[in-house]
């Protein structure tokens, strides 16, 4: 007589319990790592944000409370007199217009020139282009103060002294912008360019219709950085401009500082006013800085 073995249901042994415990442990470990990383980021944000918060709140203090002991973070008698005095004592409206003109034109030219240069350096194989790229990178190894004298002589001999063009043109080509675009275009597959060429597209059409839309995140990032650089630029406009009607914001803030004494409440108010456009530009454009799908249009 034959006996048939009936398969018995496998009971949950200790092995399965261990696997569940391991999975729970792995989940708790990932949660612990996420919490620790978030905590570290919050600590760094507080460390960087505390001086800025102190700076902004100090601009709301009267001059007599700035150096009172013990030091306080929150002003006891907040006032806007420093902002009002700074705006009235200096021609801030004209300074803002001058600086906005310089920043907008310089930013547009910088993004356009850097995009063209980065595309050529990334997608064209030529030894002279490689040598040119090395020359561009070499400019980052020199302090900006070393290049002030020759740049000043060139701009003055071109007849651009005491003009906005003398401030804008030397700042158009930046090594940082060229490097950013070159590194981005190197990540774009060559098959995308070859496919466009096979369809009969010309080089200019490939650049304007394919490469430029793909590089929008880099363009916006460089635009934010370039606007910030030109807005905070002080040394070069100070050398190039001698007409008070053409002064930029940073030169206007410097004019508030007296030779014998400094009205700190007015200086802090003027500094906070100069920060407002930078904050607005960042808040408006930072949401557009996102990753681009560089493989769009390619089949798997």
């Amino acid at each position: 007589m034959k006996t048939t073995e009936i398969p018995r249901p496998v009971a949950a042994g200790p092995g399965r319990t261990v696997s569940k415990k391991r999975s729970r442990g792995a989940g708790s470990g990932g949660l612990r790592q996420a919490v620790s990383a978030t905590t570290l980021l919050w600590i760094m944000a507080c460390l960087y944000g505390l001086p800025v918060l102190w700076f902004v709140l100090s601009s709301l203090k009267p001059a007599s409370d700035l150096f009172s002991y013990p030091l306080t973070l929150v002003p006891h008698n907040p006032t806007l007199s420093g902002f009002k005095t700074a705006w009235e004592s200096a021609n801030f409206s004209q300074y803002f217009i001058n600086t906005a003109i310089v920043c907008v034109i310089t930013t547009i030219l910088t993004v356009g020139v850097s995009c063209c240069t980065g595309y050529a350096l990334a997608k064209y194989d030529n030894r002279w282009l490689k040598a040119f790229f090395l020359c561009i990178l070499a400019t980052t190894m020199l302090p900006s103060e070393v290049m002030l004298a020759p740049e000043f002589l060139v701009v003055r001999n071109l007849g651009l002294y005491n003009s906005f063009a003398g401030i804008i043109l030397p700042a158009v080509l930046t090594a940082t912008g060229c490097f950013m675009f070159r590194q981005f275009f190197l990540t774009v597959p060559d098959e995308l360019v070859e496919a466009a060429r096979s369809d009969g597209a010309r080089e200019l059409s490939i650049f304007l219709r394919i490469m430029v839309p793909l590089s929008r995140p880099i363009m916006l990032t460089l635009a934010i950085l370039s606007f910030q650089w030109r807005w905070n630029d002080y040394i070069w406009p100070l050398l190039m401009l001698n007409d008070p009607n053409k002064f930029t914001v940073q030169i206007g803030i410097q004019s508030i500082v007296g030779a014998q004494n400094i009205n700190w409440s007015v200086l802090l108010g003027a500094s906070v006013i100069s920060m407002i456009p930078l904050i607005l530009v960042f808040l408006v454009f930072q949401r557009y800085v996102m990753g681009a799908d560089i493989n769009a249009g390619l089949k798997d």
Side-chain angles (χ1 to χ4, degrees), residues 254-272:
Q254 188 273 339
S255 64
I256 298 176
V257 179
Q260 301 295 332
N261 56 355
I262 301 176
N263 192 337
W264 288 103
S265 62
V266 177
L267 182 59
L268 291 173
S271 301
V272 173

Side-chain angles (χ1 to χ4, degrees), residues 66-226:
L66 287 174
F67 301 100
S68 61
Y69 186 82
L71 297 176
T72 57
L73 177 63
V74 180
H76 297 294
N77 299 314
T79 178
L80 298 176
S81 59
F83 296 91
K84 183 178 179 181
T85 306
W87 188 267
E88 294 176 351
S89 60
N91 192 8
F92 258 93
S93 59
Q94 186 64 41
Y95 297 157
F96 268 72
I97 294 174
N98 297 339
T99 312
I101 293 174
V102 172
C103 291
V104 170
I105 296 177
T106 306
T107 299
I108 294 174
L109 294 178
T110 299
V111 172
V113 173
S114 300
C115 185
C116 297
T117 306
Y119 175 71
L121 294 174
K123 294 303 178 183
Y124 292 98
D125 188 10
N126 190 298
R127 61 179 181 178
W128 298 110
L129 286 177
K130 295 179 180 179
F132 179 63
F133 178 63
L134 292 178
C135 294
I136 294 176
L137 289 182
T139 59
T140 61
M141 305 177 188
L142 296 174
S144 57
E145 291 79 7
V146 176
M147 304 175 64
L148 286 178
E151 285 184 359
F152 177 80
L153 293 177
V154 171
V155 172
R156 186 195 62 181
N157 294 335
L158 291 175
L160 300 178
Y161 179 72
N162 195 28
S163 64
F164 290 151
I167 304 176
I168 294 172
L169 293 180
V172 169
L173 185 62
T174 61
T176 303
C178 296
F179 181 78
M180 289 172 58
F181 275 100
R182 177 184 179 274
Q183 295 304 114
F184 174 79
F185 286 131
L186 285 176
T187 62
V188 178
D190 294 335
E191 291 81 1
L192 185 62
V193 180
E194 295 299 332
R197 290 173 180 169
S198 301
D199 292 339
R202 297 182 178 181
E203 295 298 324
L204 184 60
S205 178
I206 295 174
F207 174 70
L208 294 178
R209 296 185 178 182
I210 299 178
M211 294 299 174
V212 171
L214 286 178
S215 62
R216 187 182 66 172
I218 308 300
M219 296 175 68
L220 293 175
T221 303
L222 182 59
I224 295 174
L225 294 176
S226 178

Side-chain angles (χ1 to χ4, degrees), residues 38-57:
T38 304
T39 305
L40 180 61
L41 290 176
W42 274 109
I43 293 174
M44 294 180 63
C46 293
L47 292 177
Y48 280 95
L50 182 60
V52 179
L53 180 63
W54 192 299
F55 168 71
V56 174
L57 293 178

Side-chain angles (χ1 to χ4, degrees), residues 221-238:
T221 303
L222 182 59
I224 295 174
L225 294 176
S226 178
F227 191 91
Q228 178 185 357
W229 294 336
R230 302 287 78 82
W231 189 273
N232 292 327
D233 196 3
Y234 170 72
I235 298 295
W236 185 246
L238 182 65

